[in-house]
Amino acid sequence: MAGVHLEGIVKAYGAVQVVHGIDLEVQEKEFVVLVGPSGCGKSTTLRMVAGLEEITAGDVTIDGRRVNRIAPKDRDVAMVFQNYALYPHLNVADNMAFGLRIRRMPKAEIKTTIAEVAQILGLTEYLDRRPADLSGGQRQRVAMGRAIVRHPKVFLFDEPLSNLDAKLRTQMRAEIKRLHNRLGVTSIYVTHDQVEAMTLADRIVVMNDGRIEQVGTPMELFNNPVNTFVAGFLGSPPMNQVRGVLTETGAKVGNSEIKLDAKVNGHVGREVIVGIRPEHVSLRAGDHTSPFPVALDLVEPLGSEALLHARFGDETVVFKTETGGDIAQFSGVDHVHVPASLVKIFDAETGQAMSFGA
């Protein structure tokens, strides 16, 4: 097993710099997910770890060895791509064995290895089939099997589920997580899907414009985003963000005041962004909550839950609540209630999270 260390990694194409000196430490056996919008540099960073992109500046270290000038085949990493990249004329067993034959592994050992990995991935009965005879999920498992048989020090996943439908993505997420728990191999996974990031990661790395915005566990990032970008990127739906002004007892938003559980001494009158998670809002008053007047615009039923889209002044806000099997109850909603302890405050100018003394 091996850890991966990135120090001051820069990638530039001519005069255009796309990754701006990032630092990251991936611990041995850890599952780290790089997440961010398209074009943020996450796949480029992964490809630099794999050796498929040349590093402009900085160092990549795998298992304590600097690998900047080491060829991809000698880095002892295995990569699973967005497209399956399977050989259409070879059956499943031969696709999985191809890399082992190139390395001149004995035939008996190849056969044993393929059988073991096929058992892990539920592919035993498909070993004689060709890729055209498999479903998308089965093809992705073959691609993963081809990586696993090499027993690499590090797995690299580049948006491996983006070609699958919603049901298969859910199934494959669970399979990848179980596989990681079973094999315990250091893994770096790239996705733009924050649901994949939240469900798979030991730690999430949120990237934006070639820089790392925040690193932490899924719940650390969900509960305590460091800025408005992270707050708006993680969560489904994302955090509501409305403009306000700090008062002695909270934040004034429009004609209403949202209570905070901290004193804002020295910041009264400061313009801020008030962050409210859709899941943290209640339709009923409770201890230490603030009423928040809204004009209901749309109800999206999701079964046991519903999304309430509402207007607050010039802003659109979304709240998530349980339905109890009945959405008619929401027709008269004109207020929601916000718990003081769960309100987040960000500086309106910088977007950075603000903290106050109790």
Side-chain angles (χ1 to χ4, degrees):
M1 304 306 162
V4 179
H5 180 60
L6 310 184
E7 183 176 0
I9 296 299
V10 173
K11 178 61 183 178
Y13 297 98
V16 180
Q17 190 168 305
V18 295
V19 176
H20 308 283
I22 65 173
D23 299 305
L24 179 64
E25 185 79 37
V26 180
Q27 302 297 326
E28 187 175 298
K29 299 184 180 181
E30 190 176 26
F31 197 116
V32 167
V33 176
L34 307 184
V35 67
S38 296
C40 72
K42 55 189 185 296
S43 288
T44 300
T45 300
L46 192 78
R47 291 172 65 85
M48 284 191 283
V49 174
L52 302 177
E53 291 279 0
E54 186 176 346
I55 300 167
T56 304
D59 290 315
V60 173
T61 303
I62 299 175
D63 195 22
R65 181 179 64 154
R66 185 175 179 271
V67 297
N68 291 34
R69 301 300 178 186
I70 295 177
K73 66 182 179 66
D74 297 322
R75 295 192 182 195
D76 204 5
V77 301
M79 195 160 181
V80 180
F81 296 93
Q82 179 177 348
N83 59 346
Y84 316 123
L86 301 177
Y87 297 106
H89 62 290
L90 299 180
N91 63 22
V92 169
D94 289 337
N95 263 285
M96 291 170 64
F98 188 83
L100 303 182
R101 293 198 177 107
I102 293 296
R103 294 185 173 198
R104 301 187 183 279
M105 180 184 285
K107 289 184 178 180
E109 190 174 343
I110 290 176
K111 185 176 180 179
T112 300
T113 301
I114 296 300
E116 290 174 351
V117 173
Q119 180 67 34
I120 291 172
L121 294 172
L123 291 172
T124 302
E125 61 183 289
Y126 304 108
L127 289 175
D128 293 328
R129 296 191 188 181
R130 293 187 178 182
D133 301 323
L134 303 175
S135 69
Q138 289 165 344
R139 292 177 196 175
Q140 193 57 273
R141 289 207 299 271
V142 175
M144 290 169 60
R146 184 176 53 193
I148 294 168
V149 295
R150 292 176 50 194
H151 298 296
K153 290 180 178 178
V154 179
F155 281 132
L156 305 175
F157 297 89
D158 189 10
E159 303 199 46
L161 308 185
S162 58
N163 288 338
L164 305 180
D165 61 40
K167 183 178 180 180
L168 272 177
R169 281 202 303 272
T170 300
Q171 293 175 350
M172 287 301 298
R173 278 204 312 264
E175 289 191 26
I176 289 173
K177 189 66 175 181
R178 291 191 192 101
L179 186 64
H180 175 75
N181 291 340
R182 181 169 181 174
L183 299 178
V185 178
T186 306
S187 300
I188 306 176
Y189 186 107
V190 161
T191 182
H192 64 273
D193 186 334
Q194 53 92 20
V195 175
E196 283 182 27
M198 292 290 289
T199 54
L200 285 171
D202 294 323
R203 284 191 303 150
I204 295 174
V205 179
V206 181
M207 294 187 65
N208 182 33
D209 194 26
R211 295 178 174 85
I212 292 177
E213 296 283 351
Q214 187 173 3
V215 181
T217 67
M219 294 313 298
E220 285 173 350
L221 270 60
F222 183 81
N223 290 324
N224 297 297
V226 296
N227 55 34
T228 52
F229 178 83
V230 177
F233 193 82
L234 288 181
S236 182
M239 180 181 283
N240 296 295
Q241 299 180 28
V242 295
R243 300 190 75 87
V245 177
L246 291 178
T247 67
E248 291 183 359
T249 54
K252 188 175 182 181
V253 180
N255 295 320
S256 302
E257 185 176 65
I258 296 178
K259 296 177 183 177
L260 302 177
D261 65 349
K263 297 178 180 179
V264 299
N265 295 338
H267 297 283
V268 173
R270 188 168 180 174
E271 292 189 3
V272 295
I273 302 295
V274 180
I276 305 167
R277 286 281 180 201
E279 299 85 354
H280 293 164
V281 173
S282 173
L283 300 184
R284 298 175 181 82
D287 294 337
H288 306 294
T289 64
S290 306
F292 194 89
V294 295
L296 193 63
D297 181 49
L298 173 69
V299 177
E300 284 188 285
L302 302 174
S304 62
E305 296 177 321
L307 298 181
L308 308 185
H309 296 252
R311 299 290 300 174
F312 177 72
D314 295 330
E315 313 227 30
T316 299
V317 289
V318 181
F319 307 114
K320 182 182 286 188
T321 185
E322 295 183 357
T323 64
D326 174 27
I327 64 169
Q329 61 181 304
F330 304 129
S331 60
V333 170
D334 58 4
H335 282 77
V336 294
H337 299 270
V338 182
S341 62
L342 298 177
V343 175
K344 302 299 176 185
I345 300 295
F346 305 91
D347 184 86
E349 184 175 344
T350 66
Q352 296 299 306
M354 299 177 64
S355 59
F356 312 101

